[in-house]
Amino acid sequence: MTVALMWEARAAEGRGAELLAWVREQRLAREPLRRETFRAPKDRVLVVTWWDASYDAELPELPEPEAESVVRPVHRWRFESLGEDADR
């Protein structure tokens, strides 16, 4: 089974580049199958990691950034992959 972990934070005003640089420096206790970083308006940063694991497996996750660098706590979600859509 493939599990995707999503980590999303919104930077404090004017700190988007700093948050993006910080998240790119973060290393996990072990390497996922894949890791991808995204950014969006309003200085949002999203990281998705894919793992070969059961849905409820203990997996390394990115930490919380310093409180003053974000406007709210990090949002985290976990998803089970259902595979690629065949009609693409």
Side-chain angles (χ1 to χ4, degrees):
M1 165 185 300
T2 302
V3 175
L5 301 184
M6 295 177 64
W7 179 103
E8 187 262 342
R10 183 171 172 200
E13 183 71 30
R15 298 186 76 174
E18 179 184 331
L19 178 63
L20 182 58
W22 177 86
V23 82
R24 286 182 161 166
E25 292 172 358
Q26 301 307 301
R27 296 294 165 245
L28 298 168
R30 63 183 208 262
E31 288 298 311
L33 296 172
R34 180 175 165 196
R35 175 176 169 166
E36 197 166 348
T37 303
F38 303 84
R39 66 178 170 190
K42 298 186 180 178
D43 290 328
R44 288 187 175 95
V45 176
L46 171 71
V47 178
V48 182
T49 56
W50 287 262
W51 303 88
D52 183 15
S54 64
Y55 185 82
D56 57 353
E58 291 242 359
L59 297 169
E61 296 195 46
L62 293 170
E64 292 279 333
E66 293 180 1
E68 55 275 351
S69 68
V70 293
V71 297
R72 58 166 167 70
V74 169
H75 291 175
R76 299 169 191 271
W77 300 277
R78 183 177 287 225
F79 295 91
E80 173 187 346
S81 174
L82 301 177
E84 294 187 34
D85 293 339
D87 60 338
R88 284 193 186 186

